[in-house]
Amino acid sequence: MTTPGPTAFEVIPAIDVLGGRVVRLARGEYSQATEYAHDPAEVARRWADEGARRLHVVDLEGARSGQVDLDLWTAVATTGVSVQAGGGIRTAAVARAVVAAGAERVAMGTAAVWDPQALAGLGDRVVAAVDVRAGSATGAGWLDGGRDLGEVLDGLAAAGVARLLVTGISRDGMLTGPDFALTESLAGDPRFRVIASGGVSNLADLERLAALGCEGAVVGRALYERRFTMGAALGLFR
């Protein structure tokens, strides 16, 4: 697998998998899933062919149940593109198993909220998924009550976590633009590097996120519905 080198801003296509199919949820609601494809590996190859250097692949059933599907990571890893894997990865042991299955790094949300020390020692292999609703960071596939965002950030910093994947849940999958206020507040925290996620709808959103100091953005529905192409997005930051 080729690990992406330094880049000014990274555009990362999302591949969310539910029941073996590629979908997007609206605001994290499992009852509001739009299906886009049948084969996650085929979609991964398509984004790789269009220039993606990293993919954000989430096992939505794993996020809900806490049980990971290692076969998913193995299948997507065969495409040769670097994978940031999420969904049900709640312990360091499982994180290492997912990396062994082919992921380049893992996104951990539930543990980031409730057991940040579980992320300690994973170094650059881990990104803390900080999924925020009404000032609280949530876990368990966004189904729990969450914990105060400031407390979560302090716990992650104490655990030595350096990278956050920040999602404003109310914007996710809605094509209404990211939660810029939330993203700016975290991108301005010198303890962390930030990848933005949720709500990207156009190229101007990407440019604004880059200007805020984010190192990249995860993009889902806007790419699947061709609001812009991967090539156009990549062209902004060459």
Side-chain angles (χ1 to χ4, degrees):
M1 178 185 302
T2 301
T3 300
T7 184
F9 186 86
E10 195 169 32
V11 181
I12 308 170
I15 301 177
D16 291 352
V17 182
L18 184 64
R21 301 185 176 191
V22 177
V23 305
R24 291 299 290 167
L25 306 184
R27 299 192 180 99
E29 296 289 341
Y30 283 75
S31 62
Q32 298 184 48
T34 301
E35 182 180 322
Y36 290 101
H38 295 281
D39 184 351
E42 180 180 330
V43 173
R45 284 188 289 272
R46 185 178 94 197
W47 292 133
D49 289 345
E50 293 192 22
R53 303 176 69 201
R54 190 190 311 278
L55 304 172
H56 181 64
V57 185
V58 177
D59 175 6
L60 291 172
E61 188 54 49
R64 181 164 54 180
S65 69
Q67 302 296 314
V68 299
D69 179 3
L70 293 178
D71 290 341
L72 171 62
W73 315 126
T74 300
V76 174
T78 62
T79 63
V81 67
S82 291
V83 172
Q84 178 174 280
I89 305 168
R90 298 180 183 174
T91 69
V94 172
R96 293 188 180 98
V98 172
V99 169
E104 191 260 326
R105 66 187 182 206
V106 296
M108 299 176 69
T110 302
V113 172
W114 300 109
D115 185 20
Q117 282 299 317
L119 283 66
L122 293 173
D124 205 45
R125 290 289 196 179
V126 69
V127 54
V130 179
D131 306 316
V132 181
R133 179 192 290 119
S136 294
T138 69
W142 302 354
L143 299 175
D144 64 23
R147 184 179 173 206
D148 177 77
L149 176 58
E151 293 180 4
V152 170
L153 296 176
D154 288 344
L156 291 170
V161 175
R163 179 178 284 112
L164 309 178
L165 173 67
V166 177
T167 304
I169 293 173
S170 67
R171 304 297 186 94
D172 192 65
M174 302 306 295
L175 292 174
T176 55
D179 187 333
F180 288 111
L182 169 67
T183 305
E184 183 174 13
S185 68
L186 272 64
D189 190 324
R191 298 175 295 179
F192 305 107
R193 301 189 297 276
V194 168
I195 301 169
S197 177
V200 170
S201 61
N202 54 47
L203 295 174
D205 287 342
L206 295 176
E207 291 180 304
R208 186 172 173 185
L209 291 171
L212 291 178
C214 296
E215 67 174 22
V218 171
V219 185
R221 189 174 167 190
L223 284 174
Y224 286 98
E225 298 188 1
R226 292 293 178 177
R227 298 296 181 96
F228 55 82
T229 65
M230 191 67 190
L234 294 174
L236 293 174
F237 306 106
R238 288 196 177 112

